[in-house]
């Protein structure tokens, strides 16, 4: 039980030990509770509430079994934040609630630091969390009391654009809460109803591994930069035990400490790709300075890039959020800014600066001649007899489906061969067209190189084949695998993303490559 709770009938603070029933928690952005100002002398933030919170009074109590309903209209009333919370709790029949502004003495550092250390327990033990997203609203409802949120116009953009989705502490609150009610201006929904609406954060089906958590964390901000660590560490209670809550400590050292502890716990921190979702989530607008202010450009800003972090934290990329990729790999250590990995790696030391050039047609073997291509699939593969394997290996290059090859296929083939040449040696004699029946599941497709920078012919890249991330949840694609990709930079290496492979999940099982040690900075 938290140290203090708020009794909602009279908004009075009571000791948690005196409460003998369940409680709820509040999840919100401080900016929603009033104007947040900073005391220039003490450096502490405080809130100014001018009573501009709008409620519909009185509201009708919400039935416990409702999933998503519109609130009925009534008299408009403006109240302070506490009055808003009291009315919400009355609507949802909440007798006791916990929220930081009332339940933590912000002027008592010892008490505040102690409560921060147990924040995960407060939200984890609550019946549910009430998440305030006033940006969600409907103008009218022609469907009666029940209104499915997914019928709300641009619901996903409203959710992703809300203040709640931009704050670090609300991430911890969403993940640690057993269930959540999302409360909009005049509409509400259980959180699990949103899990299928492109908002995977509310999906309680998956464990919160490092990759999934960092996907959501790296776009969020906090009023105090130390809270980036304190909120994240509360998602991993065993890490939180090793973190000292002190807002005066060096933020850079604190960040390195946290990410080092997280990497030791979960190497899926390496499971990231180039920016994709972030292009829209982190979108910003800027003016070119014209007087009429009509010409604007759309840019995006990723919050985590404000910090000087090692490449293995994924600071330059975007972690995967869809499925919890897991690995049994343990042969690594973390020391300060260096992640040291010892494993086998795939690279091509003989990669040429100009691969294929304009003579690519001379490299590609003749396409099989058929009287009719109806029903026939042919795949261009690289047949390898590598020194590092005891068996022949097939690598997928390009597929032609029920037709003859045409001029549009050749540039695609060259692009794919150019990409593969960074990691394997390619010769004309190793390229061959095979039918679907011959192919079966013999070949592996190096399907995607999801990297944070363009591959340069002058640089050396390696696929860490000894570090295998597998999707243990999705039975539809049981052969989807990911491996980290690193780039050599002097005596060290830079983590730049992942390589997705598809097909033979035993492709690297008989690998005879000598293990190497890579110091990733």
């Amino acid at each position: 039980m938290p140290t203090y709770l708020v009794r909602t009938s009279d908004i009075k603070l009571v000791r948690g030990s005196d409460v003998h029933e369940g409680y709820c928690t509040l999840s919100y952005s401080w900016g929603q509770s009033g104007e947040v100002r900073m005391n220039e002398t003490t450096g502490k933030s405080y809130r100014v509430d001018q009573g501009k919170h709008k409620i519909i009074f009185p509201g009708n109590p919400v039935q416990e079994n409702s999933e998503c309903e519109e609130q009925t209209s009534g008299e408009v009333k403006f109240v302070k934040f506490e009055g808003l919370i009291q009315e919400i709790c009355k609507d949802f029949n909440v007798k006791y609630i916990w929220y930081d502004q009332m339940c933590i003495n912000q002027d008592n550092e010892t008490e505040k630091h102690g409560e921060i250390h147990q924040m995960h327990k407060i939200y984890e033990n609550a019946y549910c969390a009430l998440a305030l997203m006033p940006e969600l609203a409907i103008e009218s409802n022609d469907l009666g009391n029940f209104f499915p949120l997914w019928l709300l116009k641009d619901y996903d953009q409203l959710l992703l654009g809300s203040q709640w989705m931009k704050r670090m502490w609300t991430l911890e609150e969403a993940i640690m809460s057993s269930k959540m009610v999302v409360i909009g201006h005049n509409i509400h929904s259980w959180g699990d109803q949103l899990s299928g609406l492109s908002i995977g954060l509310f999906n309680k089906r998956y464990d919160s591994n490092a990759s999934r958590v960092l996907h959501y964390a790296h776009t969020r901000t906090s009023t105090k930069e130390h809270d980036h660590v304190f909120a994240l560490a509360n998602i991993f209670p065993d890490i939180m035990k090793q973190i000292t809550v002190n807002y005066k400590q060096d933020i850079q050292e604190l960040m390195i400490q946290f990410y080092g502890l997280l990497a030791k716990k979960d190497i899926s921190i390496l499971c990231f790709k180039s920016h994709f979702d972030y292009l829209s989530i982190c979108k910003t607008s800027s003016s070119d300075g014209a007087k009429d202010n009509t010409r604007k450009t759309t840019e995006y800003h990723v919050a985590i890039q404000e910090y000087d972090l090692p490449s293995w934290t994924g600071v330059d990329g975007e972690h995967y959020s869809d499925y919890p990729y897991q690995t049994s790999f343990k042969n690594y250590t973390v020391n300060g800014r260096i992640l040291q990995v010892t494993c086998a790696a795939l690279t091509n030391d003989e990669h040429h600066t100009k691969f294929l050039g304009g003579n690519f047609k001379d490299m590609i073997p003749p396409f099989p001649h058929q009287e009719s291509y109806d029903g026939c699939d042919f795949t261009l593969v690289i047949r390898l007899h590598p020194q590092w394997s005891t068996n022949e290996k097939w690598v997928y290059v390009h597929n032609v489906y029920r037709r003859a090859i045409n001029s549009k296929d050749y540039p695609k083939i060259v692009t794919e061969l150019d990409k593969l040449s960074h990691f394997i040696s390619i010769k004309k004699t190793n390229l061959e067209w095979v039918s679907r029946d011959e192919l079966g599941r013999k070949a592996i497709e190096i399907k995607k190189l999801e990297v944070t920078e363009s591959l340069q012919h002058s640089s050396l890249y390696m696929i860490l084949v000894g570090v295998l991330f597998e999707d243990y949840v999705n039975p539809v694609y049981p052969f989807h695998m990911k491996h980290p990709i690193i780039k050599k930079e002097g005596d060290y290496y830079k983590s730049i993303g992942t390589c997705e492979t598809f097909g033979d999940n035993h492709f690297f099982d008989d690998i005879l490559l000598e293990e190497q040690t890579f110091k990733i900075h």
Side-chain angles (χ1 to χ4, degrees):
M1 189 67 74
T3 306
Y4 293 102
L5 289 168
V6 174
R7 186 171 57 212
T8 62
S9 60
D10 54 4
I11 307 296
K12 295 297 184 183
L13 205 62
V14 297
R15 288 194 170 275
S17 57
D18 295 334
V19 177
H20 304 291
E21 56 184 282
Y23 67 95
C24 291
T25 53
L26 191 67
S27 181
Y28 68 106
S29 167
W30 259 51
Q32 296 170 343
S33 63
E35 182 183 354
V36 179
R37 299 178 182 177
M38 189 69 70
N39 186 313
E40 296 182 0
T41 303
T42 64
K44 295 181 179 180
S45 58
Y46 63 98
R47 177 176 60 102
V48 177
D49 188 347
Q50 297 179 350
K52 295 183 179 181
H53 300 280
K54 180 180 177 181
I55 64 172
I56 302 170
F57 182 83
N60 286 341
V62 177
Q63 298 300 316
E64 189 172 337
N65 61 353
S66 66
E67 292 182 344
C68 191
E69 296 182 5
E70 180 190 10
Q71 301 294 318
T72 57
S73 61
E75 178 188 351
V76 175
K77 186 177 181 179
F78 291 92
V79 298
K80 289 192 173 183
F81 188 62
E82 288 73 17
L84 174 66
I85 300 307
Q86 185 177 34
E87 191 63 31
I88 289 174
C89 290
K90 186 185 297 182
D91 287 348
F92 286 86
N93 196 28
V94 175
K95 296 181 180 180
Y96 294 94
I97 194 166
W98 185 97
Y99 66 103
D100 54 355
Q101 286 190 28
M102 279 200 70
C103 297
I104 298 179
N105 184 349
Q106 303 294 328
D107 296 323
N108 186 324
E109 287 193 0
T110 301
E111 178 183 327
K112 181 178 179 179
H113 294 175
E115 292 295 285
I116 288 175
H117 254 293
Q118 65 165 357
M119 199 71 74
H120 58 280
K121 295 180 181 178
I122 293 173
Y123 281 85
E124 191 174 32
N125 294 332
Y127 172 72
C128 76
L130 308 181
L132 302 188
M133 297 190 198
E135 295 88 348
L136 298 180
I138 55 177
E139 296 181 1
S140 62
N141 183 6
D142 298 327
L143 301 177
N145 289 332
F146 182 78
F147 188 92
L149 187 59
W150 51 90
L151 293 182
L152 183 64
K153 184 179 179 181
D154 298 327
Y155 67 85
D156 53 344
Q157 294 305 312
L158 290 173
L159 283 168
L160 293 174
S162 68
Q163 282 299 310
W164 187 91
M165 290 289 288
K166 300 179 185 299
R167 306 302 290 171
M168 186 61 70
W169 276 112
T170 56
L171 173 64
E172 179 268 340
E173 293 155 7
I175 291 176
M176 300 311 295
S177 299
S178 60
K179 47 189 168 182
M180 179 166 278
V181 177
V182 174
I183 301 173
H185 175 70
N186 57 355
I187 190 172
H188 68 273
S189 172
W190 282 107
D192 58 9
Q193 299 293 316
L194 308 179
S195 62
L197 306 182
S198 304
I199 313 294
L201 172 62
F202 297 101
N203 196 334
K204 297 296 183 180
R205 176 185 170 206
Y206 304 139
D207 292 333
S208 295
N209 68 343
S211 176
R212 184 167 181 259
V213 169
L214 294 182
H215 171 85
Y216 296 104
H218 282 179
T219 63
R220 295 181 176 233
T221 61
S222 56
T223 304
K224 298 179 179 179
E225 55 187 0
H226 292 75
D227 281 328
H228 176 94
V229 171
F230 300 150
L232 267 178
N234 263 282
I235 300 173
F236 306 96
D238 53 336
I239 292 180
M240 189 64 213
K241 292 178 181 178
Q242 304 175 66
I243 297 291
T244 300
V245 178
N246 180 357
Y247 286 90
K248 295 180 180 179
Q249 60 187 308
D250 183 86
I251 182 60
Q252 194 64 38
E253 293 180 3
L254 179 63
M255 295 281 275
I256 295 300
Q257 179 195 8
F258 167 76
Y259 279 96
L261 291 170
L262 183 59
K264 290 177 183 179
K265 175 183 176 65
D266 187 356
I267 194 64
S268 77
I269 195 172
L270 287 177
C271 219
F272 61 87
K273 57 183 178 180
S274 56
H275 290 162
F276 183 73
D277 292 339
Y278 286 5
L279 299 180
S280 56
I281 294 175
C282 304
K283 191 181 297 183
T284 60
S285 295
S286 62
S287 170
D288 63 0
K291 290 183 178 180
D292 58 5
N293 203 29
T294 55
R295 289 183 295 176
K296 291 185 176 181
T297 58
T298 300
E299 302 172 348
Y300 74 102
H301 171 72
V302 183
I304 193 63
Q305 292 183 337
E306 295 179 5
Y307 300 98
D308 177 23
L309 296 176
S311 65
W312 48 264
T313 64
V315 62
D316 295 320
E318 175 183 325
H319 286 85
Y320 295 97
S321 66
D322 45 5
Y323 301 110
Y325 289 98
Q326 300 175 18
T327 182
S328 59
F329 182 78
K330 299 292 184 183
N331 197 7
Y332 68 96
T333 59
V334 183
N335 184 11
R337 298 181 64 90
I338 302 299
L339 172 65
Q340 183 170 294
V341 176
T342 301
C343 68
L346 186 63
T347 189
N348 180 16
D349 294 324
E350 300 175 353
H351 179 75
H352 298 296
T353 302
K354 293 184 179 180
F355 177 71
L356 294 185
N359 300 318
F360 59 86
K361 287 187 178 180
D362 295 336
M363 293 275 300
I364 301 172
F367 193 73
H369 177 73
Q370 295 280 323
E371 293 295 329
S372 172
Y373 291 102
D374 185 37
C376 294
D377 293 354
F378 287 96
T379 300
L380 181 63
V381 299
I382 305 169
R383 301 183 73 145
L384 299 175
H385 300 274
Q387 296 179 349
W388 45 262
S389 175
T390 57
N391 299 310
E392 181 182 71
K393 301 289 184 180
W394 289 13
V395 178
Y396 171 99
V397 178
H398 185 73
N399 185 65
V400 177
Y401 181 67
R402 295 189 179 184
R403 60 173 173 81
I405 194 171
N406 60 42
S407 59
K408 294 182 179 179
D409 291 303
Y410 289 106
K412 296 178 182 178
I413 292 172
V414 172
T415 299
E416 190 66 18
L417 289 174
D418 189 35
K419 176 184 73 176
L420 293 170
S421 69
H422 286 279
F423 307 104
I424 57 178
S425 178
I426 302 174
K427 298 179 181 179
K428 180 177 180 179
T429 54
N430 292 346
L431 291 169
E432 181 179 340
W433 290 100
V434 298
S435 68
R436 182 197 299 184
D437 292 337
E438 292 178 272
L439 183 66
R441 284 182 174 169
K442 293 180 181 179
I444 190 168
E445 177 183 358
I446 299 181
K447 191 173 182 180
K448 295 180 183 177
L449 296 183
E450 298 184 299
V451 292
T452 58
E453 58 185 56
S454 299
L455 299 185
Q456 304 296 320
H457 290 288
S458 58
S459 297
L460 184 66
Y461 301 92
M462 296 188 172
I463 299 176
L464 300 183
V465 297
V467 185
L468 170 64
F469 294 106
E470 294 182 276
D471 171 14
Y472 289 103
V473 174
N474 188 2
V476 179
Y477 301 107
F479 303 110
H480 272 208
M481 298 154 284
K482 296 186 186 297
H483 298 273
I485 296 178
I486 57 175
K487 171 187 176 183
K488 186 171 177 59
E489 293 188 339
D491 294 331
Y492 296 91
Y493 293 83
K494 179 182 180 181
S495 182
I496 63 168
T498 56
C499 164
E500 180 177 288
T501 59
F502 180 80
D504 183 1
N505 60 342
H506 300 291
F507 189 85
F508 296 117
D509 280 3
D510 62 344
I511 207 147
L512 299 177
L513 285 170
E514 183 178 350
E515 288 191 342
Q516 303 176 60
T517 296
F518 305 98
K519 294 182 178 181
I520 306 173
H521 64 74

